[in-house]
Structure formats: structure tokens, C-alpha cells
Amino acid sequence: MYLQKMISCSQFLARPNAMQTFVRAASQGKNPSSSPFLTLHAVRQWSNVPFFTVPLARAHGKSFAHRSELRQAKRIVVKLGSAVVTRGDECGLALGRLASIVEQVAVLQNQGREMMIVTSGAVAFGKQRLRHEILLSQSVRQALHSGQNQLKDMSLPVLEARACAAAGQSGLMALYEAMFTQYSTCTAQILVTNLDFHDDQKRRNLNSTLHELLRMNIVPIINTNDAVVPPPEPNSDLQGVNVISIKDNDSLAARLAVEMRADLLIALSDVEGLYDSPPGSDDAKLLDTFYPGDQHSITYGTKSRVGIGGMEAKVKAALWALQGGTSVVIANGTHPKVTGHVITDIVEGKKVGTFFSEVKPAGPTVEQQTEMARSAGRTLASLEPEQRSDIICILADLLTERKDEILSANKNDMEHAVSTGRLSPAMLKRLSLSSSKLNSLSIGLRLIAVSSQDSVGRVLRRTRVANKLELEQITVPIGVLLVIFESRPDCLPQVSALAIASGNALLLKGGKEAANTNRILHELAQEALSIHGDKDAIQLVSTREEVEDLCRLEKMIDLIIPRGSSQLVRDIQRAAKSIPVLGHSEGICHVYVDHEASVDKAIKIIRDSKCDYPAACNAMETLLVHRDLLRTPLFDQIIDMLRTEHVKVHAGPKFASYLTFSPSEVKSLRTEYGDLECCIEVVDSMQEAVDHIHKYGSSHTDVIVTENEDTAEQFLQQLDSACVFWNASSRFADGYRFGLGAEVGISTARIHARGPVGLEGLLTTKWVLRGEGQTAADFSEQGSMTYLHENLPVAQVLPGHRTTS
């Protein structure tokens, strides 16, 4: 049985005066759960199965090699440092922070994991309680002796840490007990000292007690017995697996994790993780993963504001635990934006804090790949346009010369995808390559090579600001692009060519279903780049990086371009909070058939827009029909054609009202089917069609079919979509068909690039001012110079050259 009624910690903390009453009861040695607002009792048998269990089982003795494996962690130790548990004034606990941590631990416990907490906080809690008692005692004495209400300034004595710990332990434990009770989770307190681990009998007793508590689904809360613990002594600290001195909670957590054969130790502190130099210094870099043997590359800073450990102690303890077979993550438990999910994020394998691993990958990390790409990208941008064009032409040749090798790799991917049955027919079609497809890719790349002659360094504007002071606006690369694509290996050479032409560094993350094809295509791209020594400008991410983790590299990536399903695009747009995303989340394209439309044109355009490639983002999803066409031969021919092409029709609300027996009514007029399905809706006029598209469309591509030029022009002018066509299929919304050679995607954004994004969309601008010592003061009222602001003829500027006036 579980809780008859349950409230979350966040609900509890939101109650007026709830936490004040809660702390007051705890500090007085009472059980806060007996307070009127905490009369929730768990009726639970500890032998029962938890809420739901996770299939967690692995042989202990070897730590996890990669973050993604942390999902398998069964037994987890969470160490809460003093800075995490205590308030900024060090007098009392950070209750809101502690409540969110308790909630996460309880969630993981109820998933079937075995959770243990090593906590600080007794000294801070006791200091708060003793200060309160001292102040109260002093105020009473002064009132008695002075006989008046005015109190003198009262000074507090220095409080001894052991006394504070003795006064705070009971209240700290009562606080934990009451918080965990809200999640039907029982806790037990265990106080230990260094001697408990050096005495074999005591160590066996401790081990037995902890195992029994875990067996009964109880969360042990462990702390050093600071009321009696002796000062730390220099000894053989952290030497070998069998010896570790319990000097602080870092070493306690490490020793406990190894003794209990824990799978994971999460050490929460007040820093994001381990930096290669003191946090806050100019060149400090947060390390995503730390490997034994890398200690020499670390420069440690000062300790945190509270506690007796420091980052060096944490690293030593972490490496000791890692050697004993326990994986370790050091992360920030104080940041208000992440505290509420830091523990669960770590267990889910997300890139949080620093992960300690014994297995060093053979290749570079994704951060190193990005740095390599950026460095090589700067060299690529400095090449002459003809040199970048040569690279693209070589890549185009390689696509046809090495087609057997490419198709063989693609065949392996296709066979694996079919055998697993995980891809839909539309996705399988995207995954497949053919000789004709490679030939088309090669032709497209040659078009890009031609356009690259006039890309980087092109002058857009020239202005004579004043005498001998000239300003130019020129095109420059964006920087580092991250392109994430699913099941479409043909995307790789296309975006590679566009990146080369625009002088951008490129980071590619393809779907694992196309791993073999992507690998050979990437090798060909690097082979082409190597003729000018820029091989590293294009990198293929082959490590097990989650897309969400890549989207957090805001200091390294300048633009993200997703190529794939609408769900992928939406996920990336959500995850990339600090990096611009170029793309569209949906392709809800409309074809409006006006009452003055040509029968032949309407049939051809509708068939091609819907049936040529139903999974494409530029395929028609909604057919709008003028009301006057109902019950006409044209409308009958449209329906017959859709039936012949096996297109499933959904009726819009207005269309359904005209029919006695209608097709299934559409669930939403804002639906991207991506298959041989479409919605048909009726409108009374061209203006109503425009209004419908503005309301339900995605600003991708929309079409009007009519012989009336005035009606068509009004449609083209009024409709606010990236692509608007008159008497042409929506399938023309494509970079290759537009003559761009290829596209990195179709954007429905209102700024930067819009529609099919080719070379121009991968460039930004910079302003170049050339003068001869002028200052702004020269142009003030007291200055001797005046502005001219004369527009000058625009002349092409190549890298390494400058214009002449």
C-alpha cells in the first residue's frame, strides 16, 4: 500500500508559514511530521515492490565507461556538500534546495533504485539553533537586570563546531524524515567516524546494517559524527583501494560507495564540476569527462565558503572510488535553474557536471572536434574563392568515382534498417541512395562550386563617411555550424559543399541508421578538403553524444540546422536555448484551387504536390477548394485522381457540412500527414483561403491555381509564407530546383534566411572602416571635420585584397 494522500515538497513549501513552523519544530527536537499541516502517514510494507521498477542489474567491479550507461545504475550514493545544504550566511539550511533534492532522490528510490545520502549540514543547523538560544537567553537576562525594554547590542560568542553538530544532528534528521515522508519513503540515520572503517568488526556491522536498510527500501542518511570526530591527521590518505582516511564527507562518500559496491556516486557542490584551472579565471574550462592520469593538467583553486574539503579533495576521493569500481559525477547542487533536476539528469546520462571515466575514447571529444573545426574553418575562409570551388568540384568527382564504395556502405545500412524494422517506409526511402541520386548530387555540388566564386568577402555596400574615411559592409562566414540530420545521408555532401563555399566550419551529427554511409561520405569530404590542408574543417560526430548535449555547446557552436522530422526540429528548438536554430518545425503546405482554375493545371499540380514525395516537407497537406467548384466536373476529377493515387482524404468542418456521407472529419486543420493523406476544406473566396492559411499553415509553401492574374497577384502579395507559388507545384520549394545547387534546409523564420537556404543563408556580414587617424572628436561641434556619407560604387573584394576608391 502507498500513501493515501501525497503532496509534493514544492506544494508543501508554498504553504504560508509552513516551512517556518517546520524548522521551528525540527530545531526544538520535535518531529515536524507531527505538525498539523504534515499529518500524512505512509501505510507501506517495505517488502512491497516499488511504484515501478527499472530493469537494473550489472556485475559490480568495473565502472561505467560512458554517461549513457548511468541509466543502468542500481545503487547510488548522493553526497551533499556543505555549500549545497547550508544557506549563504552559513546559519541554517537551504530548505528549498534541500526539498528539491529530496524529491529527486525519492523519485529514483521509487523507480526501484537503492539510494543513499551522505550529508553535511548538522553544524549549520546547530549553529542556527544555538544562536537562537543564546540570543533568547541574553535578551531575557538583560531584561531582568536592566528593568527596561530597551536591549543593548548583544554579541555572540564563537560557537565550537562539535557543539553545533551535537545540537543540529537531531533537527537535521527530523527535517529529512519529514520531507521524505511526503513521498512515502522511510529514512534511517547513521553516524560514523574514521574508526568505524578501520575496525573490521565495526565495518562489517556497518555494511550489514546498510544492506538491511536497502533491502527494506529505506534511504540511509549518513554523516560523520562531528560531535566526537577528532581533527584530521596527516596519514596515508587515499593510497590504494583498501585505505582511505575519512577526513570529510567527500572521502566518507567515496569509502562508503566502494564498501557498498555502489554503481554511482554523485557529489554535489557549489561549482559546475571540475575545471582545468580555478573557476572564474579567464581560461578556465569545464571538463565534461575526467580520466585518471589527467591530474597533472589541473590547477586547483581555493576551497568553497564552507566545509573542510576542496576540489582537490573531491577529485582524489572520486578517483579512489573510480578505482574501486564506482562511477562518479561531480556537479553543481546550488544553481537555482538546475537544482530541481540535477540528480535525475545525471542518472539519465545527460551532460551535467564532470563525469569520471577509466575508459578514454580513441578519438577526440566533441568539444575537441569543434575546436579543430573552428581553427580549420578560419583557414578555409581565408582561401581564394577559386580554391574553395576546387575543393567542391573534387568532392563532386569523388561522389561518382567512388559510387560503388558509397552504395555498398548504403546497402549495409539499408539491410540493417529493414531487419530491425524500426524505420517507416518514408524514412527508408530517405535512407536509400542510388547511382542516379549520386549523379544528381554531383551536379548540384558543381552549381554550388560556381556560386562560391562570389561569396565570402563580397562587398555589399561602400560609403565614404568623410574625407579619407571609407566604410565597407562585406560578407563573412557565420562560424561553426552544427547540422543534425536523420536517415538522409545525401544531406552530408550537400551541406558540406555549402559550408566549404561559405567558409564555415561544420559539425555533422547523423542518425545511427546511416552510420556506414555517413562515414564514407565524410571521408570523401575530408579527402577533398585536404588538398588545401583544411581536412579538419568538417567533423562527423561519431561519439555517443545526445542531441540535447550538443545543443548546450553555446560557446562553441554559432548556428544549428536540423534536417529531419518535425519532432526532431521541435526537440532541437527546445533544447537549444542559447544557440540560433535555422529551420521549420512543420511543413503544412496548402494548394488553393480558385473557381477560375484550369482543370488540367489543377489536376497536375495537386497530384505532384501530394503524391510525388508525400514525406517531403514541401508536400501538400491541405487542399482548399473554392465553394463554386463543388459538384462540378473539376471537383469530381480531383476526387477521382486522389482515389486512384490511394490518397486518404479527411474532410474539413465546412466541407463535411456539404456532404451527406463525408470522409472522416479531420481532427485538426493544422496537421502534417507526411504520407498519402490530406485534408480537403472549402472556402468562399481567395481572401478566405489566405486567412485560412495564415491561421492553420506553417509559413512554408503555399500555392494558388487560377487563370485570373489579378487574383493570383493578390494571393502572392497578401500571403506571408516563405514560398508562394502561382500555378506551380509546391514541390518546387527546394534549393536545387531554385538553382542554389543544394540547401541546408527550408527556414520559416522571419529574420536572417527564409525559404530554401543555400549559400547566401550561411553568410553574415561585418563592417570594415579604413581611416588615417580620425577620431569621433574630430566631428564634434568643436572639431574640424564633417561627415559626407557618400555612397560609392560596389566592387568585389577578394580575401587578402582591398578596394581602391
Side-chain angles (χ1 to χ4, degrees):
M1 297 176 63
Y2 304 106
L3 280 180
Q4 296 171 333
K5 183 179 180 183
M6 180 184 290
I7 60 173
S8 70
C9 279
S10 56
Q11 291 173 313
F12 159 62
L13 293 172
R15 297 189 178 191
N17 302 320
M19 189 52 76
Q20 292 88 330
T21 309
F22 186 70
V23 174
R24 185 164 58 248
S27 63
Q28 294 171 357
K30 300 176 181 178
N31 185 348
S33 61
S34 62
S35 301
F37 53 84
L38 283 175
T39 55
L40 305 178
H41 297 284
V43 184
R44 179 178 183 179
Q45 296 177 348
W46 300 111
S47 58
N48 282 358
V49 178
F51 297 146
F52 66 93
T53 58
V54 182
L56 306 164
R58 77 179 189 102
H60 188 81
K62 189 174 182 180
S63 60
F64 296 119
H66 193 270
R67 281 183 183 269
S68 61
E69 298 173 350
L70 296 180
R71 299 185 182 97
Q72 304 172 32
K74 166 74 172 177
R75 184 169 292 172
I76 302 171
V77 175
V78 178
K79 181 262 176 180
L80 306 179
S82 300
V84 176
V85 177
T86 61
R87 297 196 317 235
D89 61 4
E90 303 175 26
C91 294
L93 304 181
L95 295 171
R97 190 185 303 150
L98 198 59
S100 66
I101 290 172
V102 165
E103 188 167 15
Q104 294 172 79
V105 171
V107 166
L108 294 173
Q109 177 82 2
N110 289 328
Q111 287 178 359
R113 306 180 198 266
E114 297 174 344
M115 305 298 297
M116 292 179 280
I117 294 178
V118 175
T119 183
S120 302
V123 173
F125 201 32
K127 186 183 292 186
Q128 178 192 35
R129 182 177 179 185
L130 291 180
R131 281 189 174 185
H132 174 76
E133 293 298 330
I134 291 170
L135 286 172
L136 181 61
S137 175
Q138 288 180 348
S139 64
V140 170
R141 283 201 305 271
Q142 284 193 22
L144 291 174
H145 288 295
S146 64
Q148 54 187 354
N149 293 330
Q150 296 230 338
L151 302 178
K152 299 177 183 178
D153 292 338
M154 293 178 288
S155 59
L156 287 171
V158 176
L159 299 175
E160 205 273 332
R162 292 189 186 89
C164 291
Q169 280 290 359
S170 60
L172 177 65
M173 192 58 209
L175 185 67
Y176 273 119
E177 182 182 352
M179 285 184 171
F180 272 107
T181 296
Q182 311 312 309
Y183 302 95
S184 187
T185 301
C186 186
T187 59
Q189 181 184 31
I190 297 179
L191 298 176
V192 298
T193 65
N194 201 18
L195 297 176
D196 295 324
F197 289 93
H198 288 284
D199 184 295
D200 289 342
Q201 185 59 48
K202 288 184 177 180
R203 192 171 74 250
R204 284 194 295 269
N205 291 342
L206 174 62
N207 191 292
S208 174
T209 300
L210 288 170
H211 274 93
E212 182 64 14
L213 292 173
L214 294 177
R215 187 189 68 80
M216 295 189 294
N217 283 341
I218 295 174
V219 176
I221 298 177
I222 306 105
N223 193 3
T224 53
N225 192 351
D226 294 328
V228 298
V229 69
E233 299 177 2
N235 54 20
S236 56
D237 187 26
L238 301 165
Q239 294 181 1
V241 177
N242 297 321
V243 179
I244 182 171
S245 176
I246 307 300
K247 293 183 177 182
D248 51 41
N249 277 344
D250 294 313
S251 51
L252 169 61
R255 180 65 184 260
L256 187 73
V258 173
E259 287 279 346
M260 293 299 296
R261 302 171 67 85
D263 300 312
L264 173 62
L265 166 59
I266 300 174
L268 297 183
S269 184
D270 58 351
V271 292
E272 302 301 322
L274 177 60
Y275 288 80
D276 58 358
S277 55
S281 59
D282 290 339
D283 298 326
K285 184 171 68 174
L286 178 65
L287 302 179
D288 167 62
T289 308
F290 185 76
Y291 306 97
D294 287 353
Q295 297 96 313
H296 64 277
S297 63
I298 304 298
T299 303
Y300 297 102
T302 58
K303 296 190 298 183
S304 62
R305 59 177 173 82
V306 290
I308 61 175
M311 185 52 72
E312 186 172 9
K314 289 176 175 57
V315 172
K316 287 182 177 180
L319 291 174
W320 190 89
L322 188 67
Q323 186 182 0
T326 297
S327 296
V328 183
V329 175
I330 296 177
N332 192 337
T334 63
H335 197 292
K337 291 185 178 180
V338 299
T339 300
H341 47 81
V342 60
I343 298 173
T344 51
D345 280 355
I346 290 171
V347 176
E348 288 172 8
K350 295 182 180 179
K351 272 196 173 182
V352 180
T354 300
F355 172 65
F356 286 71
S357 175
E358 291 186 297
V359 181
K360 200 163 189 175
T365 65
V366 67
E367 290 83 2
Q368 291 170 334
Q369 283 186 289
T370 307
E371 291 175 354
M372 292 162 58
R374 185 181 291 278
S375 177
R378 292 191 176 111
T379 305
L380 178 66
S382 68
L383 295 177
E384 299 293 334
E386 292 82 3
Q387 293 175 305
R388 289 194 298 273
S389 178
D390 289 343
I391 295 172
I392 299 170
C393 288
I394 291 173
L395 178 56
D397 290 338
L398 289 172
L399 289 179
T400 53
E401 292 171 4
R402 307 268 286 275
K403 66 178 180 182
D404 290 341
E405 193 175 345
I406 298 169
L407 295 177
S408 175
N410 186 247
K411 181 182 178 183
N412 291 336
D413 288 330
M414 288 292 295
E415 289 175 350
H416 183 263
V418 171
S419 65
T420 57
R422 294 176 181 175
L423 296 184
S424 65
M427 295 289 276
L428 284 172
K429 187 175 181 180
R430 289 180 177 180
L431 176 61
S432 175
L433 290 180
S434 63
S435 294
S436 60
K437 214 169 192 179
L438 291 175
N439 289 333
S440 296
L441 281 172
S442 181
I443 294 170
L445 264 58
R446 295 185 186 280
L447 290 175
I448 296 173
V450 173
S451 62
S452 69
Q453 301 282 344
D454 185 27
S455 56
V456 180
R458 179 161 52 91
V459 179
L460 302 178
R461 176 176 176 173
R462 293 183 65 217
T463 304
R464 181 177 286 117
V465 178
N467 188 33
K468 296 184 179 181
L469 187 65
E470 293 186 7
L471 178 69
E472 291 175 344
Q473 184 185 22
I474 64 173
T475 57
V476 294
I478 290 174
V480 178
L481 312 177
L482 168 61
V483 178
I484 302 171
F485 54 101
E486 294 177 317
S487 303
R488 49 194 319 160
D490 57 323
C491 171
L492 195 152
Q494 289 178 335
V495 297
S496 295
L498 288 169
I500 294 166
S502 58
N504 284 292
L506 179 61
L507 205 62
L508 294 159
K509 174 65 173 175
K512 60 183 178 181
E513 64 279 352
N516 295 300
T517 315
N518 289 338
R519 185 177 62 254
I520 181 62
L521 290 173
H522 175 247
E523 289 174 0
L524 298 183
Q526 290 200 319
E527 183 176 330
L529 282 163
S530 64
I531 66 168
H532 289 297
D534 293 317
K535 175 184 175 182
D536 291 335
I538 296 179
Q539 298 284 330
L540 179 65
V541 179
S542 56
T543 57
R544 293 187 289 182
E545 301 292 332
E546 298 290 345
V547 169
E548 186 174 343
D549 294 330
L550 291 172
C551 292
R552 292 174 180 169
L553 300 175
E554 66 273 2
K555 294 182 180 178
M556 312 180 79
I557 293 171
D558 300 295
L559 179 66
I560 299 177
I561 305 171
R563 296 290 305 272
S565 65
S566 58
Q567 186 60 50
L568 171 72
V569 179
R570 282 193 295 269
D571 290 343
I572 291 173
Q573 288 173 333
R574 267 194 303 269
K577 295 180 174 63
S578 304
I579 308 176
V581 178
L582 189 152
H584 65 280
S585 59
E586 294 174 308
I588 305 175
C589 303
H590 295 74
V591 173
Y592 165 57
V593 182
D594 187 54
H595 66 289
E596 297 181 76
S598 160
V599 174
D600 293 338
K601 291 178 184 177
I603 296 297
K604 284 181 62 179
I605 290 170
I606 295 169
R607 177 187 285 114
D608 190 73
S609 296
K610 179 71 261 184
C611 306
D612 176 62
Y613 190 0
C617 63
N618 57 11
M620 181 195 79
E621 303 294 1
T622 298
L623 174 63
L624 299 177
V625 180
H626 193 283
R627 181 186 58 187
D628 293 348
L629 293 179
L630 294 178
R631 300 183 178 86
T632 66
L634 171 56
F635 184 74
D636 292 340
Q637 289 182 52
I638 291 173
I639 297 299
D640 290 341
M641 180 274 293
L642 293 174
R643 184 181 298 113
T644 301
E645 296 290 344
H646 305 290
V647 177
K648 182 178 181 180
V649 172
H650 302 274
K654 198 169 181 180
F655 179 44
S657 68
Y658 286 96
L659 303 174
T660 305
F661 300 100
S662 70
S664 61
E665 189 167 340
V666 68
K667 295 180 180 179
S668 170
L669 290 169
R670 193 179 287 110
T671 301
E672 182 178 17
Y673 297 99
D675 207 342
L676 285 174
E677 293 182 67
C678 73
C679 167
I680 296 180
E681 183 58 310
V682 174
V683 292
D684 293 340
S685 64
M686 180 276 296
Q687 187 60 54
E688 188 176 331
V690 170
D691 294 340
H692 177 102
I693 295 171
H694 281 159
K695 184 175 183 179
Y696 299 108
S698 61
S699 301
H700 192 295
T701 301
D702 298 292
V703 177
I704 182 172
V705 183
T706 185
E707 296 302 300
N708 188 312
E709 184 176 352
D710 291 338
T711 301
E713 289 300 327
Q714 289 182 50
F715 182 90
L716 299 178
Q717 294 299 319
Q718 292 183 31
L719 197 58
D720 183 24
S721 295
C723 301
V724 189
F725 301 161
W726 172 25
N727 287 346
S729 169
S730 62
R731 293 280 290 125
F732 279 106
D734 175 82
Y736 175 77
R737 296 182 178 117
F738 277 13
L740 305 179
E743 65 183 34
V744 293
I746 294 181
S747 172
T748 55
R750 294 295 195 275
I751 58 175
H752 188 55
R754 199 164 190 231
V757 180
L759 179 57
E760 292 291 325
L762 299 181
L763 296 170
T764 185
T765 64
K766 72 176 178 182
W767 296 89
V768 178
L769 184 66
R770 296 184 175 92
E772 294 188 1
Q774 296 91 335
T775 66
D778 294 334
F779 296 86
S780 64
E781 292 182 2
Q782 294 76 30
S784 59
M785 303 187 74
T786 58
Y787 289 110
L788 299 176
H789 292 146
E790 296 176 355
N791 290 330
L792 299 173
V794 172
Q796 178 63 39
V797 175
L798 301 180
H801 297 74
R802 57 170 293 180
T803 58
T804 56
S805 57

